[in-house]
Amino acid sequence: LDVVKPRLQIAGGGNPLTMGATMLRNEGIASLYAGLSAQYLRAWTYQTARLGAYRSLVDYFTPADGSPTSLAKKAVAGLSAGAFGAFIGNPAELAIVRMQADKTLPEELRRNYRNAADALVRVVRSEGILALWTGSSPTILRAMALNCGA
């Protein structure tokens, strides 16, 4: 149901229940699952990178004598791991937004992505590899804030 939020953002606001009902009425139940493959890809890439980076950084910051890692060092590990995870996961985040927003475009402008891989390949072909990190700054900052002190 996370697809309702981007639709509301694109529309400039509104009622989530009304938006969901409109999507169901106009596009069917499948509209609530737009971008699902990209959401799974994001979860796998972001979570794996974030958790792995955090554990590695905490291990790195742990004193050799085995004493506990300081809160400040754990916070740095959390901020850094959040940023790393978001950087790694941003291409999937981009695919989610593109796939969910596609139905809001006029029919002649729709890309009709089949899945996350299709969206990512087509973005790279038409816009270049760096386009996969479009919008990454707010995504990284959000992840850092959410992951601080994890």
Side-chain angles (χ1 to χ4, degrees):
L1 297 178
D2 194 39
V3 72
V4 173
K5 180 184 70 170
R7 292 284 185 99
L8 286 171
Q9 291 170 332
I10 291 166
N15 181 314
L17 295 176
T18 303
M19 179 62 75
T22 301
M23 290 169 59
L24 284 171
R25 185 174 48 258
N26 296 341
E27 302 168 37
I29 191 80
S31 68
L32 298 178
Y33 296 96
L36 188 62
S37 64
Q39 289 179 10
Y40 280 124
L41 178 63
R42 181 195 178 274
W44 294 330
T45 56
Y46 169 72
Q47 296 292 357
T48 301
R50 180 182 67 89
L51 293 173
Y54 180 74
R55 178 55 26 216
S56 295
L57 288 168
V58 168
D59 288 348
Y60 176 78
F61 289 140
T62 299
D65 65 4
S67 61
T69 306
S70 72
L71 180 59
K73 288 181 179 179
K74 285 183 179 180
V76 168
L79 289 166
S80 301
F84 179 70
F87 180 80
I88 297 297
N90 200 80
E93 189 84 38
L94 177 82
I96 291 169
V97 172
R98 296 278 180 107
M99 292 173 77
Q100 292 176 345
D102 201 45
K103 288 285 187 180
T104 66
L105 296 172
E107 204 162 318
E108 66 276 4
L109 296 177
R110 290 184 189 162
R111 295 171 185 96
N112 298 313
Y113 299 117
R114 293 183 308 239
N115 52 48
D118 180 48
L120 294 173
V121 166
R122 288 167 63 183
V123 165
V124 169
R125 284 184 182 156
S126 64
E127 301 171 47
I129 191 89
L130 294 179
L132 296 178
W133 285 274
T134 300
S136 62
S137 296
T139 302
I140 289 170
L141 290 173
R142 180 188 69 201
M144 289 172 70
L146 292 173
N147 203 55
C148 183

